[in-house]
Every structure is written in structure tokens, then in C-alpha cells.
């Protein structure tokens, strides 16, 4: 479903709760405050440092957007790092 800008910021961003690098999965929390497990096997991870298929680039607390289908991530884009979240003027 396509959202407007405000709804997109609300519904398409997730907080990373945990990352299981060995299993290739991550748990994220969305707007509804419910956690979802996502399979990230071959997902492309996009950060300020570049792109990779390595889940090592993800940290609990990071805010991400996902391109996913049926519980499998295709692309994970880090929007804000965990350490940047608490230094934001929004707090």
C-alpha cells in the first residue's frame, strides 16, 4: 500500500529489536508496538558506510525501512543509528 509522506514515516519505519546474525533474521518493532521476525538471508543492507549483505551492520535500536515480501527482507535501509536517536533534538 502506498502512503503519503506522513503515513510513510509512521508505518514504514521500524526499530530493530534484535539481530540474529547466525540465523539470518532480525526482530523489528513497528508503529503498532508489535514485534515481527523478518528473514534477512540475502537482504541488501544499506547504510551511510555503503551496501552489504552483512547483518553485522545492523544494531538493536537502529531505525530502518524495509523492502520485504512475505516475511523476507529484500533491502534494509538504515535511516538513523541507535546512538543518533538519543542525541536527536526530538528528545
Amino acid at each position: 500500500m502506498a502512503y503519503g509522506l506522513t503515513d510513510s514515516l509512521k508505518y514504514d519505519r521500524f526499530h530493530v529489536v534484535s539481530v540474529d546474525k547466525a540465523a539470518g533474521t532480525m526482530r523489528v518493532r513497528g508503529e503498532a508496538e508489535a514485534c515481527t521476525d523478518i528473514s534477512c538471508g540475502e537482504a541488501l543492507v544499506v547504510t551511510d558506510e555503503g551496501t552489504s549483505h552483512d547483518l553485522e551492520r545492523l544494531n538493536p535500536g537502529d531505525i530502518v525501512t524495509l523492502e520485504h515480501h512475505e516475511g523476507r527482507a529484500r533491502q534494509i535501509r538504515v535511516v538513523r543509528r541507535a546512538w543518533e536517536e538519543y542525541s536527536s533534538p526530538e528528545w
Side-chain angles (χ1 to χ4, degrees), residues 2-71:
Y3 297 112
L5 177 60
T6 303
D7 287 336
S8 177
L9 292 174
K10 184 175 182 181
Y11 295 110
D12 290 340
R13 290 187 178 198
F14 301 89
H15 281 86
V16 176
V17 175
S18 63
V19 180
D20 185 344
K21 296 164 186 83
T25 61
M26 72 175 178
R27 179 169 286 177
V28 295
R29 185 180 73 233
E31 171 63 24
E33 295 296 321
C35 290
T36 304
D37 291 325
I38 303 285
S39 175
C40 305
E42 291 298 316
L44 184 64
V45 180
V46 180
T47 66
D48 287 342
E49 296 85 32
T51 60
S52 170
H53 292 281
D54 188 4
L55 293 180
E56 287 284 331
R57 294 181 174 227
L58 298 173
N59 301 294
D62 287 348
I63 297 174
V64 299
T65 59
L66 298 172
E67 287 182 21
H68 59 95
H69 182 67
E70 296 180 0

